Amino acid sequence: WSEPLAEGAVILRRLVRDEGAELLALVLDVAAQNPFHHRITPGGHRMSVAMTNCGDLGWSTDARGYQYTEQDQATGRHWPPMPPRFRQLATAAAAQAGFADFQPDACLINRYEPGAKLTLHQDKDEKDLRQPIVSVSLGLPAVFQFGGFERGDATQRVLLEHGDVVVWGGPSRLRFHGILPLKAGVHPLAGAYRYNITFRRAH
Ligand code: MD5
Ligand code: FE
């Protein structure tokens, strides 16, 4: 079912739950080609979330900052291709939320282990901020923080569970958001982890 969060943001609860196993297999297949690793931020901190990418462009960080690149700087190789099912799913979810021609060129995959978190931030490294971001949650549940347009604004807490899809567009594209430290647990398909797949139009 569909649950509006704010203008431009809608949770499609459980949309892909029944294909969770297939989607997790595709995630592991991407990771077999380009392993998850913990990035070092430009400030020198090791991120608690491990990441990989697939698609034409991938999100990277280095001393110059954050950017989308055609190659993984760690290996010098192109990212694995985006599985066709990923692309279809992203396009269909965006359409369901009112974004008719979303064509993602980047897919960032985040892996959370117990205690891993994402502090409040905005996603603004993409060229066209009128394009939404589609996010798919798999595995262990996490508490998502949904804020305002300034870092200090009050935040709302939303539980994101296995199979939930969220489309972040319109004015909600630039809201501050984060993930609270993951609570340890065992998911029948994903084990000790939460995975989040985000589809983006980067260039
Ligand atoms: C996650 N990932 O659950 C989230 C899902 C990231 C990230 O935040 O940057 O990898 S995407 C949540 C999102 C994206 C764009 C806008 C908003 C939320 N928002 O306005 O709240 O791993
Ligand atoms: Fe984000």
Side-chain angles (χ1 to χ4, degrees), residues 147-164:
F149 301 100
E150 315 259 8
R151 189 176 295 278
D153 290 349
T155 60
Q156 193 183 329
R157 290 180 176 196
V158 181
L159 189 70
L160 292 180
E161 297 175 279
H162 181 70
D164 289 347

Side-chain angles (χ1 to χ4, degrees), residues 118 121-123 177 200:
L118 213 49
H121 66 278
Q122 289 171 297
D123 289 20
H177 59 277
R200 301 148 187 266

Side-chain angles (χ1 to χ4, degrees), residues 6-49:
E7 198 186 339
V10 59
I11 310 190
L12 305 169
R13 291 262 185 217
R14 306 295 203 217
L15 184 70
V16 299
R17 184 169 57 174
D18 292 346
E19 54 175 318
E22 289 93 310
L23 296 175
L24 281 166
L26 292 171
V27 165
L28 296 184
D29 191 46
V30 168
Q33 299 169 70
N34 188 280
F36 282 105
H37 59 258
H38 294 268
R39 304 292 178 69
I40 307 298
T41 65
H45 298 283
R46 176 185 186 267
M47 294 184 76
S48 58
V49 175

